[in-house]
Each structure stands twice: as structure tokens, then as C-alpha cells.
Amino acid sequence: MHHRFLRHYNRTLVTNRAAKPCNVFINHRGIDTKRTVATLLYDHFYRLNLHPFLDSKNMKPGDKLFDNINGAIRKCKVGVAVFSPRYCESYFCLHELALMMESRKKVIPIFCDVKPSQLRVVDNGKCAMEDIRRFNWALEEAKYTVGLTFDSLKGNWSDVVTSASDNVIKTLIEMEGEKKMQRPKSTPMLHV
């Protein structure tokens, strides 16, 4: 079933020149996950032609950081948030998560070497109170979203990448089905 969807989805992207450039936004803490799960996810999604966004792969020197990341989040269809031990230390991670939640994107959490209960925003005095409020709200939303858990000492990277990919594909299939159901149906003409 996934293969049929991917063939249809890829044909639609090829024929639709106005297709959005990013379907899957990968939110992660680079220091913890860029060389492991984040890049593996990106490469896997890319091979499936799902148009992923990963900052280190989609941005080049001179790009405006917030403009590109915010634009990618607003245009994406689904987000994958890779939570890790130092995730909450990053303003950028928390900003991206908050923007995905505020934009009402479907977010698939992956708790990598961290439990949801361990995720907390630290108020070190560097963030505005409004940002702290946004970040706390977004973290709470993510903590209470069914996600994947992964222990890098015991787990298999391939398994978590495959599981995340399956969840993203299922989400895209559901979204495509919902979009089809929302399209106005033509009303039959009455012949008198």
C-alpha cells in the first residue's frame, strides 16, 4: 500500500510544478543527533522522494536562518521532532517546535535517549517570557503526543528510521485522503 501511495504521490509532485518544496520538516538538536538519526531520517525520506528539510542539507551559506526555517515549517505537511538529552538547551529547537505546534502541523515525536518527562524548558534569563510560555506549551503538546522511543545503546537505528518513515507515510496518506474528501463534489445537473 505504501508503494502505491509513493508512486502516486511522486507522480503528483512531478506533474504539479507548484508543489511545496518541503513535505517533512526534521526538528532536532544537531549536537546530539545530526550525525545519527537526523541525517538517517533525511536520507531515507529523500530516497522516498518525500522532500525532507534538514537545516544542514537544505540551507547554504548566506541563507537567512529564521526566514528559511520558518518558511520550511509553514510549508511542510508533517514534522518529525527528534528529542534528545540537550534538545531543550537550544532556542532554535524550541522555536521550531513551537512554530510547528502553532501552525497546527502533525508532529511525530521521537524520544531519543530521553524520556518525555525529562523534557523541560530552562529559564536561563536569555529568553523573553513570551518565548518561555510558547516553548513550555509546545513541549507539553509534544509530550502528550504518541511518539517513538529509542535507546541508542540498545536499539537499531534502522528500526527507528523505518518506523518513523512508516508513520510519516501513513500521515501523508491520511492527509491526502482528507484533502480528497474536502474537495467540492460536482452536483449533477437535472435534465428537465
Side-chain angles (χ1 to χ4, degrees), residues 91-138:
Y91 177 89
F92 291 104
C93 288
L94 294 168
H95 167 76
E96 292 169 7
L97 179 65
L99 187 56
M100 284 191 289
M101 295 299 189
E102 291 162 351
S103 302
R104 301 176 128 346
K105 301 297 178 183
K106 173 96 177 229
V107 176
I108 298 167
I110 301 174
F111 300 99
C112 186
D113 296 327
V114 68
K115 294 177 182 167
S117 61
Q118 295 172 305
L119 296 172
R120 287 187 180 77
V121 176
V122 179
D123 184 359
N124 57 10
K126 294 180 182 179
C127 289
M129 283 310 294
E130 177 59 21
D131 284 337
I132 298 289
R133 186 197 63 71
R134 288 177 62 233
F135 299 163
N136 276 319
W137 170 78

Side-chain angles (χ1 to χ4, degrees), residues 41-96:
L41 285 167
Y42 176 88
D43 290 345
H44 192 73
F45 293 148
Y46 185 83
R47 280 192 299 279
L48 293 173
N49 205 21
L50 294 177
H51 302 280
F53 183 94
L54 182 65
D55 55 1
S56 63
K57 300 280 189 175
N58 294 77
M59 294 177 61
K60 59 190 181 309
D63 284 350
K64 299 285 185 190
L65 195 61
F66 281 107
D67 291 349
N68 279 273
I69 288 174
N70 292 356
I73 290 170
R74 287 189 180 102
K75 292 176 184 175
C76 79
K77 294 180 179 176
V78 63
V80 175
V82 182
F83 295 102
S84 58
R86 292 180 276 190
Y87 181 94
C88 291
E89 295 172 11
S90 169
Y91 177 89
F92 291 104
C93 288
L94 294 168
H95 167 76
E96 292 169 7

